[in-house]
């Protein structure tokens, strides 16, 4: 565990230190997010944050590869470097978009190429830890891998609409993923806890934690497409590695590690981004628009419309992410009946907070509204 925490801390430290340099670069290259009708920020803000994230991920994986504990998982295969290569490709694609605003077809083609590169290097969906299912065709495996990666990339990209939202959600969901991957490795190979997916997800969580101090409201820099696409690809890659490296026959499904959790957990981690993306695609296609046509009807916009502040809307989405992700993890270590009871209670609390009905909140909101009108009255 200490080695994984070292990887996480390395990623966080490098990302935190490099981000101010990237912010200066964004200003020099005019990679600024303008104030648009669908946005909530009030001044043009630097982007390109994905470059700092890529630096943190690269240094963390390099450090991990030099640690004797993890040397075997890095030396036996090139999977880690394939993931880093795919992350670099999609990050550079995002940099180009952050500077020149590429059209959606160009971005989609670049995403497919980055996902295809990873798959070509061996990061592929081949087996599912559910009843030992195996994809019988190499072409189908390649298609499934690219599809999963591209969907994850765009899911994170769609939800990146408020300061600190995407980074915080991936940090929370990734934290749950890290706990599960560590427990799964410990159960499957009791004598050796070294695991590539755990190291990659630890680095990813560290990257998000290092970027958040610069990105939380009010944000000094945005991650941009370069960061959002990097996060989506890396989460998908870690999930693919997990599903492919654990033999379902070695997992004790009757006690602590239900075999279906490796499939449920990545979906739970990205559930809100996936839901937001699905709703946006249907909404836009029904209106006769491109699925990538921007609008102001995302989940975070709806929370703002309910009267939540910028920070409160972000924290509410953090809460829902934690509920879904850690419920999925709990399925691996706690009896299902207890998980269901706990998850039900958590959903009720999260729903109450979402709709601003906790005792005292309505009164506080009303007093704030009265004060706002009292302040604005004389000026009018």
């Amino acid at each position: 565990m200490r080695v994984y925490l070292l990887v996480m801390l390395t990623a966080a430290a490098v990302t935190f230190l490099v981000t101010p340099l990237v912010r200066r670069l964004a200003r020099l290259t005019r990679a600024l997010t303008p104030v648009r009708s669908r946005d909530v920020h009030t001044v043009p803000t630097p982007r390109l944050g994905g470059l700092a994230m890529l630096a943190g991920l690269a240094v963390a994986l390099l450090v991990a590869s030099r640690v004797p504990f993890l040397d075997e998982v890095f030396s036996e295969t090139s999977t880690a470097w394939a993931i880093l290569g795919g992350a670099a490709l999609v990050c550079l694609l995002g940099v180009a978009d952050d500077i020149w605003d590429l059209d959606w077809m160009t971005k989609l083609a670049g995403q497919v190429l980055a996902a295809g590169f990873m798959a070509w290097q061996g990061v592929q969906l081949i087996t599912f830890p559910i009843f030992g299912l195996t994809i019988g065709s190499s072409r189908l495996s390649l298609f499934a891998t690219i599809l999963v990666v591209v969907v994850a990339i765009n899911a994170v990209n769609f939800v990146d609409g408020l300061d600190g939202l995407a980074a915080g959600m991936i940090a929370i969901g990734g934290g749950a993923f890290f706990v599960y991957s560590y427990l799964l490795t410990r159960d499957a190979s009791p004598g050796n806890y070294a695991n590539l997916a755990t190291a990659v997800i630890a680095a990813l969580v560290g990257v998000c934690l290092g970027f958040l101090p610069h990105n939380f409201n009010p944000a000094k820099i945005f991650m941009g497409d370069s960061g959002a696409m990097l996060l989506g690809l890396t989460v998908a890659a870690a999930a693919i590695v997990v599903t492919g490296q654990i033999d379902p026959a070695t997992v004790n499904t009757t006690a602590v590690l239900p075999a279906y959790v490796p499939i449920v957990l990545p979906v739970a981690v990205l559930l809100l981004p996936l839901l937001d993306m699905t709703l946006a695609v249907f909404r836009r296609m029904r209106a006769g628009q491109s699925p990538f046509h921007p609008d102001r009807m995302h989940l975070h916009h709806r929370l703002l419309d309910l009267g939540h502040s910028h920070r409160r809307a972000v924290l509410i989405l953090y809460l829902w992410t934690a509920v879904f992700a850690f419920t999925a993890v709990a399925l691996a270590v706690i009896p299902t009946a207890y998980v269901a009871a706990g998850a039900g209670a958590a959903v009720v609390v999260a729903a109450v907070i979402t709709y601003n009905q906790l005792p005292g909140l309505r009164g506080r909101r009303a007093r704030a509204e009265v004060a706002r009108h009292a302040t604005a009255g004389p000026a009018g």
Side-chain angles (χ1 to χ4, degrees), residues 253-288:
T253 60
T254 62
V256 293
L257 291 173
Y260 52 83
V261 174
I263 298 297
V264 173
L265 182 55
V267 174
V269 169
L270 293 175
L271 183 60
L272 291 182
L274 289 171
L275 175 62
D276 191 33
M277 182 183 71
T278 302
L279 292 175
V281 168
F282 279 118
R283 180 173 66 244
R284 294 164 185 175
M285 292 184 67
R286 187 174 57 186

PDB file of all heavy atoms in Angstrom, residues 253-288:
ATOM      1  N   THR A 253     -16.192 -16.117  -5.410  1.00  0.00           N
ATOM      2  CA  THR A 253     -17.388 -15.307  -5.632  1.00  0.00           C
ATOM      3  C   THR A 253     -18.445 -15.497  -4.559  1.00  0.00           C
ATOM      4  O   THR A 253     -19.387 -14.720  -4.488  1.00  0.00           O
ATOM      5  CB  THR A 253     -18.013 -15.651  -6.994  1.00  0.00           C
ATOM      6  OG1 THR A 253     -18.362 -17.038  -7.008  1.00  0.00           O
ATOM      7  CG2 THR A 253     -17.030 -15.369  -8.121  1.00  0.00           C
ATOM      8  N   THR A 254     -18.317 -16.490  -3.730  1.00  0.00           N
ATOM      9  CA  THR A 254     -19.343 -16.721  -2.710  1.00  0.00           C
ATOM     10  C   THR A 254     -19.073 -15.956  -1.442  1.00  0.00           C
ATOM     11  O   THR A 254     -19.911 -15.886  -0.566  1.00  0.00           O
ATOM     12  CB  THR A 254     -19.414 -18.219  -2.358  1.00  0.00           C
ATOM     13  OG1 THR A 254     -18.139 -18.620  -1.797  1.00  0.00           O
ATOM     14  CG2 THR A 254     -19.705 -19.043  -3.584  1.00  0.00           C
ATOM     15  N   ALA A 255     -17.881 -15.343  -1.309  1.00  0.00           N
ATOM     16  CA  ALA A 255     -17.551 -14.705  -0.042  1.00  0.00           C
ATOM     17  C   ALA A 255     -17.347 -13.212  -0.170  1.00  0.00           C
ATOM     18  O   ALA A 255     -18.163 -12.431   0.298  1.00  0.00           O
ATOM     19  CB  ALA A 255     -16.293 -15.361   0.548  1.00  0.00           C
ATOM     20  N   VAL A 256     -16.260 -12.798  -0.801  1.00  0.00           N
ATOM     21  CA  VAL A 256     -15.923 -11.384  -0.687  1.00  0.00           C
ATOM     22  C   VAL A 256     -15.790 -10.633  -2.000  1.00  0.00           C
ATOM     23  O   VAL A 256     -15.861  -9.419  -2.008  1.00  0.00           O
ATOM     24  CB  VAL A 256     -14.593 -11.219   0.083  1.00  0.00           C
ATOM     25  CG1 VAL A 256     -14.736 -11.649   1.522  1.00  0.00           C
ATOM     26  CG2 VAL A 256     -13.470 -12.009  -0.593  1.00  0.00           C
ATOM     27  N   LEU A 257     -15.610 -11.307  -3.096  1.00  0.00           N
ATOM     28  CA  LEU A 257     -15.377 -10.580  -4.344  1.00  0.00           C
ATOM     29  C   LEU A 257     -16.297 -11.076  -5.451  1.00  0.00           C
ATOM     30  O   LEU A 257     -15.903 -11.922  -6.253  1.00  0.00           O
ATOM     31  CB  LEU A 257     -13.906 -10.723  -4.775  1.00  0.00           C
ATOM     32  CG  LEU A 257     -12.893 -10.018  -3.894  1.00  0.00           C
ATOM     33  CD1 LEU A 257     -11.486 -10.387  -4.329  1.00  0.00           C
ATOM     34  CD2 LEU A 257     -13.077  -8.517  -3.939  1.00  0.00           C
ATOM     35  N   PRO A 258     -17.522 -10.564  -5.510  1.00  0.00           N
ATOM     36  CA  PRO A 258     -18.435 -10.986  -6.575  1.00  0.00           C
ATOM     37  C   PRO A 258     -17.813 -10.729  -7.937  1.00  0.00           C
ATOM     38  O   PRO A 258     -17.255  -9.674  -8.190  1.00  0.00           O
ATOM     39  CB  PRO A 258     -19.671 -10.089  -6.348  1.00  0.00           C
ATOM     40  CG  PRO A 258     -19.590  -9.688  -4.908  1.00  0.00           C
ATOM     41  CD  PRO A 258     -18.137  -9.601  -4.588  1.00  0.00           C
ATOM     42  N   ALA A 259     -17.931 -11.681  -8.815  1.00  0.00           N
ATOM     43  CA  ALA A 259     -17.225 -11.609 -10.092  1.00  0.00           C
ATOM     44  C   ALA A 259     -17.730 -10.489 -10.984  1.00  0.00           C
ATOM     45  O   ALA A 259     -17.033 -10.071 -11.894  1.00  0.00           O
ATOM     46  CB  ALA A 259     -17.353 -12.947 -10.824  1.00  0.00           C
ATOM     47  N   TYR A 260     -18.931  -9.989 -10.742  1.00  0.00           N
ATOM     48  CA  TYR A 260     -19.459  -8.964 -11.627  1.00  0.00           C
ATOM     49  C   TYR A 260     -19.014  -7.556 -11.255  1.00  0.00           C
ATOM     50  O   TYR A 260     -19.231  -6.612 -12.012  1.00  0.00           O
ATOM     51  CB  TYR A 260     -20.991  -9.012 -11.647  1.00  0.00           C
ATOM     52  CG  TYR A 260     -21.636  -8.972 -10.294  1.00  0.00           C
ATOM     53  CD1 TYR A 260     -21.849  -7.776  -9.629  1.00  0.00           C
ATOM     54  CD2 TYR A 260     -22.054 -10.147  -9.676  1.00  0.00           C
ATOM     55  CE1 TYR A 260     -22.452  -7.735  -8.388  1.00  0.00           C
ATOM     56  CE2 TYR A 260     -22.649 -10.124  -8.435  1.00  0.00           C
ATOM     57  CZ  TYR A 260     -22.850  -8.917  -7.792  1.00  0.00           C
ATOM     58  OH  TYR A 260     -23.439  -8.893  -6.552  1.00  0.00           O
ATOM     59  N   VAL A 261     -18.396  -7.374 -10.107  1.00  0.00           N
ATOM     60  CA  VAL A 261     -18.003  -6.031  -9.674  1.00  0.00           C
ATOM     61  C   VAL A 261     -17.010  -5.371 -10.630  1.00  0.00           C
ATOM     62  O   VAL A 261     -17.085  -4.164 -10.844  1.00  0.00           O
ATOM     63  CB  VAL A 261     -17.458  -6.055  -8.226  1.00  0.00           C
ATOM     64  CG1 VAL A 261     -16.912  -4.692  -7.817  1.00  0.00           C
ATOM     65  CG2 VAL A 261     -18.572  -6.468  -7.270  1.00  0.00           C
ATOM     66  N   PRO A 262     -16.053  -6.092 -11.256  1.00  0.00           N
ATOM     67  CA  PRO A 262     -15.157  -5.407 -12.196  1.00  0.00           C
ATOM     68  C   PRO A 262     -15.878  -4.725 -13.349  1.00  0.00           C
ATOM     69  O   PRO A 262     -15.346  -3.797 -13.946  1.00  0.00           O
ATOM     70  CB  PRO A 262     -14.261  -6.549 -12.712  1.00  0.00           C
ATOM     71  CG  PRO A 262     -14.266  -7.553 -11.620  1.00  0.00           C
ATOM     72  CD  PRO A 262     -15.650  -7.499 -11.044  1.00  0.00           C
ATOM     73  N   ILE A 263     -17.068  -5.193 -13.689  1.00  0.00           N
ATOM     74  CA  ILE A 263     -17.847  -4.542 -14.728  1.00  0.00           C
ATOM     75  C   ILE A 263     -18.681  -3.410 -14.127  1.00  0.00           C
ATOM     76  O   ILE A 263     -18.792  -2.322 -14.698  1.00  0.00           O
ATOM     77  CB  ILE A 263     -18.773  -5.548 -15.430  1.00  0.00           C
ATOM     78  CG1 ILE A 263     -17.936  -6.629 -16.119  1.00  0.00           C
ATOM     79  CG2 ILE A 263     -19.670  -4.846 -16.430  1.00  0.00           C
ATOM     80  CD1 ILE A 263     -17.042  -6.115 -17.210  1.00  0.00           C
ATOM     81  N   VAL A 264     -19.264  -3.644 -12.962  1.00  0.00           N
ATOM     82  CA  VAL A 264     -20.140  -2.656 -12.334  1.00  0.00           C
ATOM     83  C   VAL A 264     -19.358  -1.414 -11.902  1.00  0.00           C
ATOM     84  O   VAL A 264     -19.811  -0.283 -12.085  1.00  0.00           O
ATOM     85  CB  VAL A 264     -20.874  -3.268 -11.121  1.00  0.00           C
ATOM     86  CG1 VAL A 264     -21.656  -2.202 -10.359  1.00  0.00           C
ATOM     87  CG2 VAL A 264     -21.800  -4.387 -11.561  1.00  0.00           C
ATOM     88  N   LEU A 265     -18.168  -1.616 -11.354  1.00  0.00           N
ATOM     89  CA  LEU A 265     -17.436  -0.500 -10.759  1.00  0.00           C
ATOM     90  C   LEU A 265     -17.039   0.579 -11.767  1.00  0.00           C
ATOM     91  O   LEU A 265     -17.276   1.761 -11.517  1.00  0.00           O
ATOM     92  CB  LEU A 265     -16.200  -1.015 -10.004  1.00  0.00           C
ATOM     93  CG  LEU A 265     -15.377   0.061  -9.287  1.00  0.00           C
ATOM     94  CD1 LEU A 265     -16.246   0.876  -8.339  1.00  0.00           C
ATOM     95  CD2 LEU A 265     -14.224  -0.574  -8.525  1.00  0.00           C
ATOM     96  N   PRO A 266     -16.431   0.239 -12.908  1.00  0.00           N
ATOM     97  CA  PRO A 266     -16.117   1.315 -13.864  1.00  0.00           C
ATOM     98  C   PRO A 266     -17.358   2.087 -14.297  1.00  0.00           C
ATOM     99  O   PRO A 266     -17.301   3.301 -14.491  1.00  0.00           O
ATOM    100  CB  PRO A 266     -15.487   0.563 -15.047  1.00  0.00           C
ATOM    101  CG  PRO A 266     -14.946  -0.691 -14.448  1.00  0.00           C
ATOM    102  CD  PRO A 266     -15.918  -1.063 -13.370  1.00  0.00           C
ATOM    103  N   VAL A 267     -18.480   1.373 -14.458  1.00  0.00           N
ATOM    104  CA  VAL A 267     -19.722   2.060 -14.806  1.00  0.00           C
ATOM    105  C   VAL A 267     -20.162   2.969 -13.662  1.00  0.00           C
ATOM    106  O   VAL A 267     -20.613   4.103 -13.892  1.00  0.00           O
ATOM    107  CB  VAL A 267     -20.826   1.036 -15.143  1.00  0.00           C
ATOM    108  CG1 VAL A 267     -22.157   1.735 -15.368  1.00  0.00           C
ATOM    109  CG2 VAL A 267     -20.435   0.222 -16.362  1.00  0.00           C
ATOM    110  N   ALA A 268     -20.023   2.502 -12.416  1.00  0.00           N
ATOM    111  CA  ALA A 268     -20.404   3.313 -11.265  1.00  0.00           C
ATOM    112  C   ALA A 268     -19.526   4.556 -11.148  1.00  0.00           C
ATOM    113  O   ALA A 268     -20.006   5.643 -10.834  1.00  0.00           O
ATOM    114  CB  ALA A 268     -20.308   2.477  -9.985  1.00  0.00           C
ATOM    115  N   VAL A 269     -18.225   4.396 -11.411  1.00  0.00           N
ATOM    116  CA  VAL A 269     -17.307   5.531 -11.346  1.00  0.00           C
ATOM    117  C   VAL A 269     -17.711   6.605 -12.351  1.00  0.00           C
ATOM    118  O   VAL A 269     -17.662   7.800 -12.059  1.00  0.00           O
ATOM    119  CB  VAL A 269     -15.864   5.053 -11.618  1.00  0.00           C
ATOM    120  CG1 VAL A 269     -14.930   6.255 -11.814  1.00  0.00           C
ATOM    121  CG2 VAL A 269     -15.367   4.198 -10.450  1.00  0.00           C
ATOM    122  N   LEU A 270     -18.124   6.172 -13.533  1.00  0.00           N
ATOM    123  CA  LEU A 270     -18.461   7.112 -14.609  1.00  0.00           C
ATOM    124  C   LEU A 270     -19.967   7.246 -14.817  1.00  0.00           C
ATOM    125  O   LEU A 270     -20.405   7.748 -15.854  1.00  0.00           O
ATOM    126  CB  LEU A 270     -17.821   6.648 -15.924  1.00  0.00           C
ATOM    127  CG  LEU A 270     -16.292   6.696 -15.988  1.00  0.00           C
ATOM    128  CD1 LEU A 270     -15.799   6.086 -17.299  1.00  0.00           C
ATOM    129  CD2 LEU A 270     -15.784   8.134 -15.852  1.00  0.00           C
ATOM    130  N   LEU A 271     -20.761   6.820 -13.814  1.00  0.00           N
ATOM    131  CA  LEU A 271     -22.208   6.789 -14.015  1.00  0.00           C
ATOM    132  C   LEU A 271     -22.782   8.172 -14.324  1.00  0.00           C
ATOM    133  O   LEU A 271     -23.550   8.338 -15.282  1.00  0.00           O
ATOM    134  CB  LEU A 271     -22.898   6.203 -12.785  1.00  0.00           C
ATOM    135  CG  LEU A 271     -24.421   6.054 -12.904  1.00  0.00           C
ATOM    136  CD1 LEU A 271     -24.775   5.139 -14.076  1.00  0.00           C
ATOM    137  CD2 LEU A 271     -25.022   5.504 -11.614  1.00  0.00           C
ATOM    138  N   LEU A 272     -22.432   9.174 -13.537  1.00  0.00           N
ATOM    139  CA  LEU A 272     -22.964  10.515 -13.788  1.00  0.00           C
ATOM    140  C   LEU A 272     -22.483  11.080 -15.125  1.00  0.00           C
ATOM    141  O   LEU A 272     -23.300  11.613 -15.892  1.00  0.00           O
ATOM    142  CB  LEU A 272     -22.603  11.453 -12.634  1.00  0.00           C
ATOM    143  CG  LEU A 272     -23.315  11.162 -11.313  1.00  0.00           C
ATOM    144  CD1 LEU A 272     -22.912  12.181 -10.251  1.00  0.00           C
ATOM    145  CD2 LEU A 272     -24.828  11.183 -11.498  1.00  0.00           C
ATOM    146  N   PRO A 273     -21.183  10.990 -15.450  1.00  0.00           N
ATOM    147  CA  PRO A 273     -20.773  11.433 -16.786  1.00  0.00           C
ATOM    148  C   PRO A 273     -21.469  10.673 -17.916  1.00  0.00           C
ATOM    149  O   PRO A 273     -21.864  11.269 -18.920  1.00  0.00           O
ATOM    150  CB  PRO A 273     -19.260  11.173 -16.795  1.00  0.00           C
ATOM    151  CG  PRO A 273     -18.860  11.264 -15.368  1.00  0.00           C
ATOM    152  CD  PRO A 273     -20.005  10.670 -14.614  1.00  0.00           C
ATOM    153  N   LEU A 274     -21.627   9.357 -17.756  1.00  0.00           N
ATOM    154  CA  LEU A 274     -22.304   8.566 -18.791  1.00  0.00           C
ATOM    155  C   LEU A 274     -23.773   8.966 -18.919  1.00  0.00           C
ATOM    156  O   LEU A 274     -24.302   9.091 -20.033  1.00  0.00           O
ATOM    157  CB  LEU A 274     -22.194   7.073 -18.467  1.00  0.00           C
ATOM    158  CG  LEU A 274     -20.816   6.438 -18.635  1.00  0.00           C
ATOM    159  CD1 LEU A 274     -20.810   5.022 -18.065  1.00  0.00           C
ATOM    160  CD2 LEU A 274     -20.396   6.415 -20.111  1.00  0.00           C
ATOM    161  N   LEU A 275     -24.425   9.183 -17.771  1.00  0.00           N
ATOM    162  CA  LEU A 275     -25.820   9.610 -17.794  1.00  0.00           C
ATOM    163  C   LEU A 275     -25.951  10.977 -18.455  1.00  0.00           C
ATOM    164  O   LEU A 275     -26.830  11.204 -19.293  1.00  0.00           O
ATOM    165  CB  LEU A 275     -26.369   9.656 -16.367  1.00  0.00           C
ATOM    166  CG  LEU A 275     -27.797  10.194 -16.199  1.00  0.00           C
ATOM    167  CD1 LEU A 275     -28.785   9.313 -16.948  1.00  0.00           C
ATOM    168  CD2 LEU A 275     -28.161  10.281 -14.714  1.00  0.00           C
ATOM    169  N   ASP A 276     -25.060  11.886 -18.076  1.00  0.00           N
ATOM    170  CA  ASP A 276     -25.092  13.232 -18.648  1.00  0.00           C
ATOM    171  C   ASP A 276     -24.876  13.183 -20.161  1.00  0.00           C
ATOM    172  O   ASP A 276     -25.572  13.859 -20.931  1.00  0.00           O
ATOM    173  CB  ASP A 276     -24.019  14.086 -17.974  1.00  0.00           C
ATOM    174  CG  ASP A 276     -24.163  15.564 -18.305  1.00  0.00           C
ATOM    175  OD1 ASP A 276     -25.303  16.021 -18.479  1.00  0.00           O
ATOM    176  OD2 ASP A 276     -23.131  16.257 -18.393  1.00  0.00           O
ATOM    177  N   MET A 277     -23.915  12.379 -20.594  1.00  0.00           N
ATOM    178  CA  MET A 277     -23.630  12.271 -22.025  1.00  0.00           C
ATOM    179  C   MET A 277     -24.809  11.657 -22.773  1.00  0.00           C
ATOM    180  O   MET A 277     -25.196  12.138 -23.854  1.00  0.00           O
ATOM    181  CB  MET A 277     -22.378  11.419 -22.247  1.00  0.00           C
ATOM    182  CG  MET A 277     -21.977  11.298 -23.708  1.00  0.00           C
ATOM    183  SD  MET A 277     -20.557  10.216 -23.979  1.00  0.00           S
ATOM    184  CE  MET A 277     -21.298   8.620 -23.633  1.00  0.00           C
ATOM    185  N   THR A 278     -25.403  10.596 -22.224  1.00  0.00           N
ATOM    186  CA  THR A 278     -26.536   9.938 -22.881  1.00  0.00           C
ATOM    187  C   THR A 278     -27.712  10.893 -23.035  1.00  0.00           C
ATOM    188  O   THR A 278     -28.323  10.988 -24.117  1.00  0.00           O
ATOM    189  CB  THR A 278     -26.967   8.702 -22.077  1.00  0.00           C
ATOM    190  OG1 THR A 278     -25.854   7.803 -21.949  1.00  0.00           O
ATOM    191  CG2 THR A 278     -28.118   7.986 -22.761  1.00  0.00           C
ATOM    192  N   LEU A 279     -28.040  11.617 -21.965  1.00  0.00           N
ATOM    193  CA  LEU A 279     -29.138  12.574 -22.032  1.00  0.00           C
ATOM    194  C   LEU A 279     -28.851  13.674 -23.052  1.00  0.00           C
ATOM    195  O   LEU A 279     -29.744  14.087 -23.803  1.00  0.00           O
ATOM    196  CB  LEU A 279     -29.375  13.187 -20.648  1.00  0.00           C
ATOM    197  CG  LEU A 279     -29.917  12.240 -19.575  1.00  0.00           C
ATOM    198  CD1 LEU A 279     -29.972  12.952 -18.225  1.00  0.00           C
ATOM    199  CD2 LEU A 279     -31.302  11.730 -19.958  1.00  0.00           C
ATOM    200  N   ALA A 280     -27.595  14.138 -23.071  1.00  0.00           N
ATOM    201  CA  ALA A 280     -27.233  15.211 -24.001  1.00  0.00           C
ATOM    202  C   ALA A 280     -27.352  14.741 -25.448  1.00  0.00           C
ATOM    203  O   ALA A 280     -27.862  15.471 -26.315  1.00  0.00           O
ATOM    204  CB  ALA A 280     -25.814  15.692 -23.707  1.00  0.00           C
ATOM    205  N   VAL A 281     -26.890  13.518 -25.732  1.00  0.00           N
ATOM    206  CA  VAL A 281     -26.949  13.001 -27.101  1.00  0.00           C
ATOM    207  C   VAL A 281     -28.395  12.867 -27.557  1.00  0.00           C
ATOM    208  O   VAL A 281     -28.765  13.314 -28.657  1.00  0.00           O
ATOM    209  CB  VAL A 281     -26.209  11.650 -27.193  1.00  0.00           C
ATOM    210  CG1 VAL A 281     -26.507  10.972 -28.529  1.00  0.00           C
ATOM    211  CG2 VAL A 281     -24.710  11.854 -27.036  1.00  0.00           C
ATOM    212  N   PHE A 282     -29.255  12.270 -26.729  1.00  0.00           N
ATOM    213  CA  PHE A 282     -30.665  12.116 -27.103  1.00  0.00           C
ATOM    214  C   PHE A 282     -31.336  13.480 -27.249  1.00  0.00           C
ATOM    215  O   PHE A 282     -32.132  13.699 -28.175  1.00  0.00           O
ATOM    216  CB  PHE A 282     -31.401  11.274 -26.054  1.00  0.00           C
ATOM    217  CG  PHE A 282     -31.204   9.800 -26.234  1.00  0.00           C
ATOM    218  CD1 PHE A 282     -30.585   9.041 -25.248  1.00  0.00           C
ATOM    219  CD2 PHE A 282     -31.642   9.158 -27.381  1.00  0.00           C
ATOM    220  CE1 PHE A 282     -30.398   7.681 -25.404  1.00  0.00           C
ATOM    221  CE2 PHE A 282     -31.460   7.792 -27.561  1.00  0.00           C
ATOM    222  CZ  PHE A 282     -30.834   7.053 -26.561  1.00  0.00           C
ATOM    223  N   ARG A 283     -31.033  14.382 -26.329  1.00  0.00           N
ATOM    224  CA  ARG A 283     -31.644  15.706 -26.368  1.00  0.00           C
ATOM    225  C   ARG A 283     -31.288  16.447 -27.658  1.00  0.00           C
ATOM    226  O   ARG A 283     -32.144  17.048 -28.314  1.00  0.00           O
ATOM    227  CB  ARG A 283     -31.169  16.498 -25.147  1.00  0.00           C
ATOM    228  CG  ARG A 283     -31.717  17.901 -25.032  1.00  0.00           C
ATOM    229  CD  ARG A 283     -31.305  18.517 -23.713  1.00  0.00           C
ATOM    230  NE  ARG A 283     -29.869  18.730 -23.606  1.00  0.00           N
ATOM    231  CZ  ARG A 283     -29.083  18.124 -22.712  1.00  0.00           C
ATOM    232  NH1 ARG A 283     -29.603  17.246 -21.874  1.00  0.00           N
ATOM    233  NH2 ARG A 283     -27.793  18.383 -22.659  1.00  0.00           N
ATOM    234  N   ARG A 284     -30.018  16.383 -28.029  1.00  0.00           N
ATOM    235  CA  ARG A 284     -29.565  17.118 -29.206  1.00  0.00           C
ATOM    236  C   ARG A 284     -30.038  16.466 -30.501  1.00  0.00           C
ATOM    237  O   ARG A 284     -30.416  17.162 -31.452  1.00  0.00           O
ATOM    238  CB  ARG A 284     -28.039  17.220 -29.176  1.00  0.00           C
ATOM    239  CG  ARG A 284     -27.554  18.071 -28.009  1.00  0.00           C
ATOM    240  CD  ARG A 284     -26.075  17.886 -27.724  1.00  0.00           C
ATOM    241  NE  ARG A 284     -25.685  18.624 -26.520  1.00  0.00           N
ATOM    242  CZ  ARG A 284     -24.469  18.562 -25.986  1.00  0.00           C
ATOM    243  NH1 ARG A 284     -23.538  17.804 -26.541  1.00  0.00           N
ATOM    244  NH2 ARG A 284     -24.201  19.259 -24.902  1.00  0.00           N
ATOM    245  N   MET A 285     -30.032  15.139 -30.542  1.00  0.00           N
ATOM    246  CA  MET A 285     -30.489  14.452 -31.756  1.00  0.00           C
ATOM    247  C   MET A 285     -31.991  14.657 -31.951  1.00  0.00           C
ATOM    248  O   MET A 285     -32.463  14.804 -33.080  1.00  0.00           O
ATOM    249  CB  MET A 285     -30.141  12.967 -31.678  1.00  0.00           C
ATOM    250  CG  MET A 285     -28.647  12.686 -31.737  1.00  0.00           C
ATOM    251  SD  MET A 285     -28.246  10.926 -31.747  1.00  0.00           S
ATOM    252  CE  MET A 285     -28.899  10.436 -33.346  1.00  0.00           C
ATOM    253  N   ARG A 286     -32.740  14.676 -30.865  1.00  0.00           N
ATOM    254  CA  ARG A 286     -34.178  14.919 -30.973  1.00  0.00           C
ATOM    255  C   ARG A 286     -34.463  16.320 -31.510  1.00  0.00           C
ATOM    256  O   ARG A 286     -35.459  16.552 -32.199  1.00  0.00           O
ATOM    257  CB  ARG A 286     -34.838  14.742 -29.601  1.00  0.00           C
ATOM    258  CG  ARG A 286     -36.356  14.809 -29.627  1.00  0.00           C
ATOM    259  CD  ARG A 286     -36.921  14.471 -28.271  1.00  0.00           C
ATOM    260  NE  ARG A 286     -36.397  15.354 -27.236  1.00  0.00           N
ATOM    261  CZ  ARG A 286     -36.630  15.204 -25.934  1.00  0.00           C
ATOM    262  NH1 ARG A 286     -37.347  14.162 -25.507  1.00  0.00           N
ATOM    263  NH2 ARG A 286     -36.132  16.049 -25.061  1.00  0.00           N
ATOM    264  N   ALA A 287     -33.550  17.262 -31.201  1.00  0.00           N
ATOM    265  CA  ALA A 287     -33.701  18.637 -31.703  1.00  0.00           C
ATOM    266  C   ALA A 287     -33.104  18.807 -33.097  1.00  0.00           C
ATOM    267  O   ALA A 287     -33.065  19.928 -33.626  1.00  0.00           O
ATOM    268  CB  ALA A 287     -33.041  19.616 -30.737  1.00  0.00           C
ATOM    269  N   GLY A 288     -32.615  17.700 -33.689  1.00  0.00           N
ATOM    270  CA  GLY A 288     -32.046  17.774 -35.022  1.00  0.00           C
ATOM    271  C   GLY A 288     -30.651  18.358 -35.058  1.00  0.00           C
ATOM    272  O   GLY A 288     -30.202  18.837 -36.107  1.00  0.00           O
TER     273      GLY A 288
END
